[in-house]
Amino acid sequence: MRLRNVKRQKNQLELAFVPMQRGEASPSGKEGTETSRATQACRGPASTDFQMEEVCDPGNLKRALQRVCQNQGSPGLDGMSVQRLPAYLGEHWSQIRSQLLDGSYKPRAIKRVEIPKPGGGVRKLGIPTVLDRVVQQAILQVLQKQWDATFSEHSYGFRPRRTAHQAVARAQEIVAQGHDWVVDIDLEQFFDQVSHDRLMARVAERVTDKRLLKLIRALLSAGILEDGLVKPPEKGTPQGSPLSPLLSNLVLDELDWELEKRGLPFVRYADDCNIYVRSERAGQRVMRSISDFITRKLRLKVNAAKSAVAKPSSRKFLGFSLSDGAEPKRLIASQTLKRFRYRVVELTGRNRGISLDRMIRELTEYLRGWINYFGFCERRTDLRDLDGWIRRRLRSAAWKQWQTGRKRYRELRRRGVPAERAKAVAGCSRGPWSMSRTTAINQALSNRYLTSLGLLTLETWSKA
């Protein structure tokens, strides 16, 4: 049944778009991968007034639809799911295409969703309808291909073939060159503060197709449903919209140019920007002047409470920090470790009322995603310490689940603990956390045994 559904959706993807009409722009070539800084001249308008034809090209729309379907995501205000979208487009695409090409397409309002931030507070996401997500993704694919080569080589966020790991590695190189003070600038509610007028002026420098300019403006101005009311936004690019990351890079590209003009080494990933200098005094001077530039020229707010001039070892960049010394090492930031431990405590709670097998399955799912990213660290002792702490949490949970002395004795014996040793600890009145360190528990729930249940070992996995 599942294979049949996959084949049906694939067929719907093939049939969703009509063939390209004569006179439309042909499908573009492969996306550019150039990451070096282009000349100032490359930042000018695109060479065509027919970018909407490129957006509506069947091949481009098919790729956009596939990406939206892969990303899944919840429905927007119209309630349409990604599963229903291919069939809907197959039936209505001709009308939608005409609206896009004649400039009459009107985006639907956005659904506001709040999710908690790891460090406290909430992050406001905007969820467009799945149809609007396809339109935005199609625009993104056309504009990113044209714009990406003009962005700074020091910008890593939301760009093809660029990753957070590359950004951290580049910061490490700069610090190793002697720039061992960081100007860590935090932009306050960046995605909510972007001026629409200023952003559209920047877009108009690169886009000459008035239909596309009108559509981007309409997408930015689409109402947001919040507290039961649809409110037209006066500024901001909603997080959760496919086009927002590219537009945010366009806004902050002006900051990149300013930093390059001043000859300041920096690394930027989205709105996380770290500038590196050789002394605290130089850092304070850069902090004042760049904060003034951001406030006055970009019309954005700098969060003074979260911004600082400090050693890289005391600051967090994309979840990592860098050790002091001539050869800095990538470390997992203390704030990251704190959040990790909090989550593991939730997953290994002694009162969860689930089996040890299920607890390990759920825990391993989280650990795998976490280590795939933070395995990039270079201090392996941190991972080794976390492995030992996680195993102790599991042993503590198991001891609590066994509850009575008789059951504890039976479980210890079943796992190979000698009778005398099992009898000595089964009736002990010490708490689970204390008991988790005893020889009997470590023998019954050995590292090998926990691994046989599927427990992922961070230190080993990160080397794989």
Side-chain angles (χ1 to χ4, degrees):
M1 179 66 69
R2 183 177 180 182
L3 180 61
R4 189 181 304 165
N5 290 337
V6 171
K7 288 183 177 179
R8 183 184 299 116
Q9 188 175 57
K10 183 177 180 181
N11 291 335
Q12 289 171 339
L13 287 172
E14 295 289 343
L15 297 173
F17 307 109
V18 297
M20 180 174 61
Q21 301 297 318
R22 180 173 296 181
E24 293 180 3
S26 60
S28 303
K30 295 182 179 179
E31 292 188 10
T33 59
E34 180 183 354
T35 57
S36 60
R37 188 58 146 172
T39 61
Q40 178 75 21
C42 293
R43 303 175 68 225
S47 58
T48 176
D49 287 334
F50 300 98
Q51 288 168 306
M52 278 305 302
E53 277 73 15
E54 292 186 61
V55 170
C56 294
D57 176 81
N60 185 55
L61 265 297
K62 180 181 176 182
R63 291 192 298 274
L65 176 59
Q66 289 173 330
R67 176 58 62 89
V68 170
C69 290
Q70 288 170 1
N71 291 342
Q72 293 297 309
S74 60
L77 286 182
D78 61 356
M80 184 185 296
S81 65
V82 292
Q83 289 76 20
R84 292 172 49 201
L85 182 59
Y88 178 84
L89 285 173
E91 183 178 353
H92 299 282
W93 172 240
S94 178
Q95 178 185 358
I96 296 169
R97 177 181 178 275
S98 297
Q99 292 174 350
L100 289 169
L101 291 176
D102 66 20
S104 63
Y105 181 86
K106 295 187 182 302
R108 298 287 297 272
I110 293 171
K111 181 170 66 175
R112 174 71 81 197
V113 176
E114 295 184 352
I115 61 173
K117 290 184 178 180
V122 295
R123 176 177 286 112
K124 293 185 176 182
L125 299 183
I127 309 299
T129 65
V130 288
L131 176 58
D132 286 341
R133 295 210 289 268
V134 170
V135 172
Q136 289 196 42
Q137 180 66 34
I139 296 172
L140 170 68
Q141 291 167 181
V142 170
L143 296 186
Q144 189 166 57
K145 179 176 56 180
Q146 297 172 356
W147 295 0
D148 190 71
T150 73
F151 289 150
S152 170
E153 63 179 335
H154 307 289
S155 166
Y156 290 85
F158 308 122
R159 297 182 62 186
R161 297 176 177 83
R162 291 198 153 218
T163 67
H165 286 173
Q166 292 174 344
V168 174
R170 178 53 186 154
Q172 185 181 15
E173 291 174 2
I174 296 174
V175 174
Q177 293 167 2
H179 300 86
D180 55 354
W181 284 86
V182 60
V183 181
D184 186 357
I185 296 180
D186 183 270
L187 298 179
E188 184 175 338
Q189 298 179 326
F190 167 71
F191 286 92
D192 297 329
Q193 297 296 327
V194 173
S195 165
H196 287 179
D197 289 341
R198 200 171 194 289
L199 172 57
M200 288 307 302
R202 298 280 292 167
V203 174
E205 293 175 359
R206 297 166 178 256
V207 173
T208 57
D209 191 322
K210 294 182 179 179
R211 296 166 300 173
L212 183 54
L213 287 172
K214 179 182 178 182
L215 179 56
I216 294 174
R217 168 70 81 168
L219 290 167
L220 287 173
S221 303
I224 298 177
L225 179 65
E226 193 170 12
D227 299 327
L229 297 174
V230 175
K231 306 173 184 177
E234 298 178 357
K235 55 185 177 180
T237 58
Q239 293 187 70
S241 298
L243 195 56
S244 289
L246 179 64
L247 296 179
S248 69
N249 272 336
L250 181 61
V251 171
L252 293 175
D253 184 60
E254 196 167 354
L255 172 62
D256 297 341
W257 274 94
E258 181 67 19
L259 294 173
E260 288 190 17
K261 185 174 69 174
R262 299 187 186 192
L264 294 169
F266 72 98
V267 180
R268 184 176 65 79
Y269 191 95
D271 57 331
D272 287 338
C273 183
N274 279 5
I275 308 165
Y276 296 91
V277 294
R278 295 183 182 273
S279 68
E280 183 178 12
R281 183 177 180 182
Q284 296 293 352
R285 183 172 63 250
V286 169
M287 175 66 81
R288 288 191 297 269
S289 60
I290 295 301
S291 295
D292 179 69
F293 174 85
I294 291 172
T295 303
R296 178 178 46 82
K297 192 70 180 294
L298 302 186
R299 300 179 191 173
L300 298 171
K301 295 181 180 179
V302 175
N303 190 330
K306 294 184 178 181
S307 301
V309 176
K311 288 286 189 177
S313 58
S314 66
R315 302 298 293 179
K316 176 174 66 72
F317 181 54
L318 301 177
F320 295 90
S321 60
L322 299 172
S323 65
D324 295 323
E327 297 182 0
K329 301 295 182 184
R330 298 185 298 270
L331 313 177
I332 303 174
S334 58
Q335 303 97 312
T336 301
L337 290 173
K338 183 178 179 180
R339 288 198 297 269
F340 172 80
R341 287 177 177 268
Y342 180 81
R343 180 58 179 153
V344 171
V345 166
E346 287 184 328
L347 292 170
T348 59
R350 297 194 289 268
N351 297 318
R352 289 195 66 197
I354 62 175
S355 67
L356 186 64
D357 288 28
R358 179 180 168 186
M359 185 178 291
I360 288 176
R361 286 198 304 271
E362 294 180 2
L363 175 64
T364 295
E365 183 178 353
Y366 169 70
L367 295 179
R368 185 175 288 112
W370 189 87
I371 197 59
N372 279 340
Y373 181 78
F374 289 104
F376 192 58
C377 73
E378 294 180 303
R379 190 163 68 186
R380 318 311 296 176
T381 54
D382 285 347
L383 300 180
R384 193 177 310 132
D385 291 344
L386 289 174
D387 280 329
W389 174 73
I390 289 169
R391 288 190 290 265
R392 190 176 175 189
R393 290 281 315 173
L394 291 171
R395 291 171 184 137
S396 175
W399 186 257
K400 177 68 179 293
Q401 289 176 2
W402 294 342
Q403 295 180 334
T404 66
R406 181 175 296 180
K407 185 174 182 180
R408 287 167 178 171
Y409 177 81
R410 186 170 63 249
E411 295 291 343
L412 292 173
R413 290 289 291 134
R414 189 163 68 89
R415 289 170 172 80
V417 178
E420 288 300 318
R421 181 176 292 170
K423 185 177 180 180
V425 300
C428 186
S429 61
R430 285 186 292 167
W433 185 246
S434 176
M435 292 301 297
S436 65
R437 299 190 65 179
T438 61
T439 303
I441 300 298
N442 278 266
Q443 182 180 348
L445 302 175
S446 65
N447 295 357
R448 180 177 296 181
Y449 175 76
L450 293 174
T451 300
S452 73
L453 295 180
L455 179 65
L456 182 148
T457 305
L458 297 177
E459 186 181 15
T460 303
W461 184 268
S462 65
K463 295 178 180 178

